[in-house]
């Protein structure tokens, strides 16, 4: 990409920099003309879009190598590496490859099923047996392995059915005798068959819970509204109590983030199980189930509809066999969201290009498909009907987006079945789609829990069985929701977004009056970032200056988040630096503008703080020009005492270095008493230098003590108990 950007003539760069959305087709056409006469551009597109040059296709030789490695690991009892090897072999194995007169993919699924059985992962073992049988229905070893796993689960009726089918399709007399022996043993246990309804209880519960929530959301009607400072938004037509589900929505287009490609399903974005399922035609995506694999819309593998093993089976067994071997064809509507189908040709561009560009490709292709196959590209952006920020982009970003749009369309033209015409107008459409994605897409998140083994017991020893959990929210995907993307931002939101699989759910966090805009946080909230940092990041990432209720009012959280302690020990006043002060003064300037109007109401005050001096200090100190001496950087907002901020920062940095050394070293119980003592001293320094509500003090307490109970107990021991940290 850098090579392409550096090769663009300066005159063309200036043309792109001066482009307005209305001029886009003309400048995109000029850029396309240059790139089509630039050989390195053609070489790059060939590397990205030609399957012969890609490393993302299927490879039988590589699959056999991974299979042999898995066999060696299995023979030595190294089941973890055997599992990983068979999974990697499945990822690159062609669906039509043969190995010793058996379908290679079916053999790999069976081998992995055997490993899963050894690891006592019985439900996963049965799922892999099902996958092997859907490819090779007469695979007797797969029926046998399924029967043994069902017997281990106590599903004796299914186990007997599995073994009866295995005996029917098995050709070896010795193997038949072994199966008959197993059947004789199982027949005695048949009376204790478990309730089949229990098998899918958890899955059915999750599906019903999701349906119940969707039904709840249908009871609340939302409408699109226009607001003076935020353009379009969403509001309710009636009063909504807190905790109400107000909206659910499936994404228009979704893409998994590169950092999660090996850990999460590429369709539903849930964490991958050990029996993950690869795409049938390329080696990029992996899924949590065949259901997700089919819904993603990759190139389809034709599962056998007639398996020819019905002879010798009773009517009940025939039906039983059909349910298992033909299950993949009925799991889902394969036309649901074919978001991967145009990428599924063993080409590199879906794995190489940035996630937002791949998402733009999915949105572009789906826009065409929603026109019932029409390849006319006129006004595709109207399908999304979202705002964009192209006019606010920097010249470098405009050039980059136009180049990426051209590359994407060339890759789609070469590697997909769509006959896409590439010209200035079609490239301009993709440019706008990317611009829409950058300011309207939502990050799909998951809660990640990290368990830490060991806490100190009452005798100062570590208890290996005890666990503490560190929970954090991580981004796993990026999606466009046509209605959800209309929800505007507030640093003090009245709604909260969460996800079940890919589905967006919106709930209220407070009472919302009829007609009041529903606003969520784009990740920045009061109490987490101060006002100036929130405003800067929102301008950089989303190209707007926040004017929400939290950013237009003096907010106690914004003042104390990075505040220093007053030099007077008994004074609870706030000392702020110039950055915070200038941000608050800007609010006052906005207030003066409002005061000069007839619509002004005196609502500007310090929020979320019940101290008696809060309103008095802020309103008098900021609004009264005679009190300007109290609002200089370093002056206490309560008593006016001056604090040397440079000295305070040096003290904080010194204490912080000591604490960070302990945090970085907290991996075991090997922590000396002197280190714990230094940490306590440093914490006291922070508490005497920073305001009590400064974020750094809370971070130290959480990261060093509350997340690590043995450190807290160790410091507690140093403060006078008889227990010693070992």
């Amino acid at each position: 990409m850098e090579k392409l950007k550096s090769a663009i003539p300066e005159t063309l760069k200036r043309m792109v920099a001066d482009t307005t959305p209305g001029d886009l087709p003309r400048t995109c056409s000029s850029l396309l003309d240059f790139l089509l006469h630039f050989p390195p551009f053609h070489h790059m597109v060939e590397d990205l879009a030609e399957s012969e040059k890609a490393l993302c296709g299927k490879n039988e030789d590589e699959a056999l190598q991974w299979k042999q490695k898995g066999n060696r690991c299995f023979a030595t009892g190294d089941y973890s590496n055997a599992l990983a090897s068979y999974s990697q072999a499945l990822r690159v194995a062609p669906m039509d490859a043969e190995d010793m007169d058996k379908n290679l993919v079916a053999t790999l699924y069976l081998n992995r099923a055997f490993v899963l059985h050894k690891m006592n992962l019985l439900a996963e073992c049965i799922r892999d047996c099902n996958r092997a049988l859907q490819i090779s229905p007469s695979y007797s070893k797969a029926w046998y392995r399924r029967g043994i796993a069902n017997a281990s689960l106590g599903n004796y009726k299914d186990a007997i059915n599995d073994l009866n089918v295995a005996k029917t399709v098995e050709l070896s007399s010795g193997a038949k005798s072994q199966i008959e022996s197993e059947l004789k043993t199982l027949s005695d246990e048949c009376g204790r068959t478990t309730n089949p309804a229990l098998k899918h209880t958890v899955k059915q519960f999750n599906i019903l819970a999701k349906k119940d929530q969707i039904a709840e959301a249908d009871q609340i009607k939302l409408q699109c509204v226009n607001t003076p400072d935020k353009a379009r938004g969403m509001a309710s037509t009636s009063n909504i109590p807190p905790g109400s589900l107000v909206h659910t929505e499936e994404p228009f287009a979704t893409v998994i983030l590169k950092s999660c490609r090996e850990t999460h399903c590429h369709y539903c974005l849930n964490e991958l199980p050990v029996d993950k399922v690869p795409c049938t035609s390329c080696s990029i995506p992996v899924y949590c189930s065949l259901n997700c694999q089919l819904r993603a819309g990759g190139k389809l593998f034709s599962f056998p509809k007639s398996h020819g093993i019905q002879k010798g089976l009773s009517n009940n067994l025939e039906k039983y066999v059909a349910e298992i071997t033909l299950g993949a064809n009925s799991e889902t509507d394969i036309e649901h969201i074919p978001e991967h189908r145009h990428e599924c040709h063993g080409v590199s561009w879906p794995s190489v290009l940035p996630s937002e560009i791949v998402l733009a490709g999915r949105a572009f292709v789906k826009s065409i498909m929603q026109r019932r196959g029409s390849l006319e590209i006129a006004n595709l952006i109207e399908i999304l009907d979202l705002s964009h920020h192209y006019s606010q982009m920097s010249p470098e970003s405009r050039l980059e987006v136009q180049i990426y749009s051209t590359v994407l369309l060339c890759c789609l033209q070469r590697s997909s079945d769509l006959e896409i015409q590439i010209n200035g107008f079609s490239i301009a459409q993709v440019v706008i789609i990317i611009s829409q994605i950058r300011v309207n897409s939502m990050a799909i998140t998951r809660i990640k829990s990290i368990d830490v083994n060991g806490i100190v017991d009452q005798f100062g020893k570590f208890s290996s069985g005890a666990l503490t959990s560190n929970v954090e929210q991580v981004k796993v995907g990026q999606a466009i929701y046509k209605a959800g993307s209309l929800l505007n931002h507030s640093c003090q939101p009245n709604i909260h977004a969460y996800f079940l699989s890919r589905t967006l759910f919106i709930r209220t966090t407070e009472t919302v009056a009829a007609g009041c805009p529903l606003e969520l946080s784009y990740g920045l909230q009061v109490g987490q970032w101060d006002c100036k940092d929130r405003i800067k990041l929102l301008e950089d990432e989303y190209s707007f200056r926040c004017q929400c209720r939290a950013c237009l009012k003096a907010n106690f959280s914004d003042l104390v988040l990075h505040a220093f302690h007053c030099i007077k020990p008994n004074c609870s006043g706030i000392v702020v630096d110039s950055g915070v002060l200038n941000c608050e003064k800007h609010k006052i300037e906005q207030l003066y503008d409002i005061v000069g109007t007839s619509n002004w109401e005196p609502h500007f005050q310090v929020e979320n703080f019940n101290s008696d001096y809060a309103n008095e200090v802020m309103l008098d100190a900021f609004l009264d020009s005679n009190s300007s001496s109290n609002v200089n950087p370093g002056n206490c907002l309560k008593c006016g005492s001056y604090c040397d901020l440079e000295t305070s920062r040096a003290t904080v940095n010194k204490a912080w270095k000591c604490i960070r050394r302990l945090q970085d070293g907290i991996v075991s119980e090997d922590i000396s008493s002197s280190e714990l003592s230094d940490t306590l001293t440093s914490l006291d320094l922070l508490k005497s230098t920073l305001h009590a509500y400064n974020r750094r003090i809370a971070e130290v307490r959480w990261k060093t003590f509350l997340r690590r109970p043995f450190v807290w107990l160790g410091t507690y021991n140093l403060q006078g108990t008889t227990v010693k940290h070992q």
Side-chain angles (χ1 to χ4, degrees):
M1 180 57 65
E2 293 302 321
K3 185 176 181 179
L4 287 182
K5 287 197 291 187
S6 62
I8 304 296
E10 289 299 322
T11 53
L12 187 52
K13 286 183 179 179
R14 286 194 295 271
M15 181 187 298
V16 171
D18 296 335
T19 303
T20 65
D23 295 333
L24 264 175
R26 178 175 58 84
T27 56
C28 288
S29 179
S30 299
L31 180 63
L32 174 64
D33 185 62
F34 170 79
L35 292 175
L36 291 178
H37 293 85
F38 187 56
F41 172 77
H42 292 279
H43 297 154
M44 183 180 75
V45 172
E46 287 176 4
D47 289 340
L48 291 172
E50 295 295 335
S51 57
E52 292 79 8
K53 295 186 177 183
L55 301 176
C56 303
K58 299 294 187 178
N59 188 315
E60 183 176 350
D61 291 337
E62 184 180 351
L64 290 172
Q65 291 174 8
W66 282 109
K67 176 177 178 280
Q68 291 167 4
K69 181 179 179 180
N71 292 345
R72 291 193 297 269
C73 292
F74 183 84
T76 60
D78 185 0
Y79 299 133
S80 179
N81 280 322
L83 177 66
S85 297
Y86 290 138
S87 294
Q88 186 59 32
L90 281 165
R91 199 162 185 175
V92 297
M95 290 298 297
D96 57 354
E98 297 287 326
D99 181 36
M100 296 185 295
D101 297 326
K102 291 287 185 184
N103 180 280
L104 175 58
V105 175
T107 301
L108 289 169
Y109 274 128
L110 180 59
N111 286 3
R112 194 172 70 174
F114 201 179
V115 174
L116 293 168
H117 197 173
K118 288 289 187 180
M119 299 174 74
N120 202 34
L121 298 171
L122 302 177
E124 292 84 352
C125 170
I126 291 174
R127 290 200 295 261
D128 264 1
C129 289
N130 293 346
R131 292 157 188 158
L133 291 169
Q134 287 160 4
I135 298 170
S136 299
S138 59
Y139 202 168
S140 61
K141 289 183 178 180
W143 286 111
Y144 176 79
R145 180 56 48 199
R146 192 179 193 278
I148 297 301
N150 267 320
S152 299
L153 283 171
N155 299 328
Y156 298 116
K157 185 176 180 180
D158 284 355
I160 290 173
N161 286 337
D162 292 333
L163 293 179
N164 276 322
V165 178
K167 185 177 70 171
T168 301
V169 298
E170 179 57 58
L171 301 178
S172 166
S173 57
K176 282 181 180 287
S177 299
Q178 181 181 354
I179 295 171
E180 289 172 352
S181 176
E182 296 282 357
L183 279 169
K184 185 176 180 181
T185 302
L186 284 176
S187 62
D188 298 332
E189 304 289 341
C190 188
R192 298 197 295 271
T193 303
T194 56
N195 185 357
L198 296 177
K199 293 180 184 178
H200 307 294
T201 299
V202 175
K203 182 177 180 180
Q204 290 175 350
F205 175 79
N206 290 337
I207 293 174
L208 290 174
K210 186 174 178 179
K211 288 182 178 178
D212 288 344
Q213 293 191 65
I214 292 174
E216 178 186 350
D218 288 341
Q219 299 175 8
I220 297 177
K221 302 301 180 184
L222 302 182
Q223 61 182 352
C224 183
V225 297
N226 288 309
T227 57
D229 53 344
K230 296 184 180 181
R232 290 187 304 168
M234 301 292 288
S236 172
T237 58
S238 60
N239 295 337
I240 311 174
S244 299
L245 183 65
V246 296
H247 182 66
T248 65
E249 185 179 0
E250 293 297 325
F252 182 81
T254 314
V255 68
I256 192 169
L257 299 186
K258 288 187 176 182
S259 59
C260 299
R261 285 179 176 174
E262 302 300 319
T263 57
H264 290 74
C265 174
H266 286 223
Y267 180 76
C268 72
L269 303 179
N270 290 330
E271 194 168 347
L272 285 170
V274 292
D275 60 323
K276 55 191 176 184
V277 179
C279 177
T280 59
S281 299
C282 70
S283 61
I284 299 176
V286 281
Y287 305 99
C288 64
S289 64
L290 285 175
N291 186 37
C292 282
Q293 180 203 70
L294 291 174
R295 292 171 78 86
K299 292 178 67 178
L300 299 179
F301 173 78
S302 298
F303 292 104
K305 294 184 178 180
S306 177
H307 39 70
I309 66 170
Q310 295 95 334
K311 293 181 179 180
L313 298 179
S314 65
N315 290 337
N316 287 338
L317 276 184
E318 277 191 38
K319 184 179 178 181
Y320 181 78
V321 168
E323 288 176 352
I324 294 167
T325 59
L326 302 180
N329 287 325
S330 58
E331 278 193 71
T332 185
D333 174 11
I334 60 174
E335 296 298 329
H336 178 60
I337 300 180
E339 60 190 13
H340 176 58
R341 189 170 302 170
H342 63 278
E343 306 164 354
C344 192
H345 297 267
V347 293
S348 297
W349 69 264
S351 62
V352 174
L353 296 181
S355 297
E356 67 174 14
I357 305 303
V358 178
L359 180 60
R362 293 183 171 189
F364 177 81
V365 171
K366 185 169 183 179
S367 298
I368 292 177
M369 294 185 66
Q370 285 196 345
R371 292 176 173 267
R372 298 182 179 181
S374 171
L375 296 179
E376 295 181 7
I377 306 185
N379 298 322
L380 288 181
I381 57 175
E382 293 180 359
I383 293 179
L384 286 179
D385 192 25
L386 297 172
S387 61
H388 62 83
H389 75 319
Y390 182 82
S391 298
Q392 288 77 42
M393 282 186 182
S394 66
E396 184 176 354
S397 294
R398 294 185 185 190
L399 179 61
E400 183 180 82
V401 168
Q402 289 196 28
I403 293 176
Y404 270 129
S405 299
T406 308
V407 170
L408 176 62
L409 282 182
C410 288
C411 289
L412 285 171
Q413 185 188 60
R414 282 174 175 258
S415 63
S416 72
D417 299 328
L418 299 172
E419 298 178 0
I420 297 173
Q421 293 186 354
I422 302 177
N423 52 43
F425 187 78
S426 61
I427 297 172
Q429 297 281 295
V430 178
V431 169
I432 296 301
I433 289 176
I434 295 174
S435 304
Q436 290 174 325
I437 286 173
R438 287 190 172 180
V439 294
N440 292 286
S441 65
M442 301 181 73
I444 297 179
T445 59
R446 294 288 184 266
I447 298 298
K448 181 179 180 181
S449 177
I450 304 174
D451 290 332
V452 181
N453 287 299
I455 62 173
V456 180
D457 63 20
Q458 58 179 328
F459 303 107
K461 300 293 185 179
F462 270 74
S463 171
S464 60
L467 292 173
T468 60
S469 292
N470 302 329
V471 179
E472 60 180 340
Q473 195 175 55
V474 296
K475 296 178 182 179
V476 297
Q478 186 178 4
I480 284 288
Y481 296 88
K482 293 178 67 174
S485 296
L486 292 175
L487 294 166
N488 287 317
H489 166 81
S490 173
C491 297
Q492 209 164 351
N494 55 17
I495 56 175
H496 168 69
Y498 64 97
F499 303 89
L500 293 180
S501 184
R502 306 151 49 103
T503 309
L504 169 67
F505 291 82
I506 302 290
R507 285 189 181 273
T508 55
T509 57
E510 59 185 52
T511 299
V512 181
C516 180
L518 297 170
E519 296 175 326
L520 54 78
S521 169
Y522 290 0
L524 310 170
Q525 296 189 36
V526 170
Q528 297 174 332
W529 295 54
D530 66 21
C531 185
K532 61 179 176 56
D533 291 339
R534 295 196 308 268
I535 289 175
K536 183 179 185 306
L537 194 140
L538 288 168
E539 285 182 331
D540 292 344
E541 295 292 326
Y542 298 97
S543 301
F544 71 88
R545 182 177 180 85
C546 186
Q547 294 184 330
C548 70
R549 54 179 175 169
C551 293
L552 289 178
K553 295 182 180 181
N555 193 294
F556 182 70
S557 295
D558 292 338
L559 291 171
V560 300
L561 207 60
H562 299 293
F564 294 90
H565 198 291
C566 179
I567 59 172
K568 293 182 178 180
N570 295 326
C571 179
S572 59
I574 303 169
V575 179
V576 296
D577 61 17
S578 59
V580 174
L581 197 60
N582 290 336
C583 183
E584 297 306 316
K585 285 185 175 181
H586 179 72
K587 295 179 182 179
I588 303 305
E589 292 172 1
Q590 291 180 307
L591 175 64
Y592 278 131
D593 292 338
I594 298 173
V595 170
T597 69
S598 59
N599 297 326
W600 176 73
E601 295 180 4
H603 66 278
F604 186 88
Q605 60 182 357
V606 175
E607 292 192 337
N608 303 329
F609 189 56
N610 59 8
S611 173
D612 292 338
Y613 78 84
N615 287 344
E616 177 185 351
V617 168
M618 288 301 300
L619 290 175
D620 288 350
F622 282 114
L623 296 178
D624 187 355
S625 60
N626 295 325
S627 302
S628 60
S629 60
N630 284 348
V631 291
N632 291 319
N635 284 118
C636 175
L637 294 183
K638 183 176 183 181
C639 70
S641 300
Y642 178 73
C643 172
D644 187 344
L645 294 182
E646 290 302 318
T647 302
S648 296
R649 289 192 184 97
T651 302
V652 170
N653 291 336
K654 180 180 178 181
W656 193 253
K657 286 180 181 178
C658 177
I659 292 170
R660 286 301 300 269
R661 282 198 299 269
L662 181 65
Q663 289 177 348
D664 294 340
I666 297 176
V667 292
S668 68
E669 68 269 30
D670 187 20
I671 300 172
S672 67
S673 298
S674 62
E675 288 177 307
L676 293 173
S677 178
D678 291 343
T679 301
L680 284 175
T681 302
S682 298
L683 179 58
D684 289 338
L685 275 174
L686 285 182
K687 290 165 67 176
S688 64
T689 308
L690 300 177
H691 191 273
Y693 296 147
N694 187 293
R695 186 171 68 179
R696 278 195 165 184
I697 294 179
E699 287 178 355
V700 170
R701 286 172 173 164
W702 168 243
K703 292 182 178 179
T704 310
F705 300 103
L706 297 179
R707 285 177 62 180
R708 311 290 185 176
F710 59 83
V711 178
W712 180 83
L713 288 173
T715 56
Y716 177 71
N717 296 338
L718 288 173
Q719 293 175 331
T721 69
T722 58
V723 180
K724 299 297 181 183
H725 190 282
Q726 301 294 322

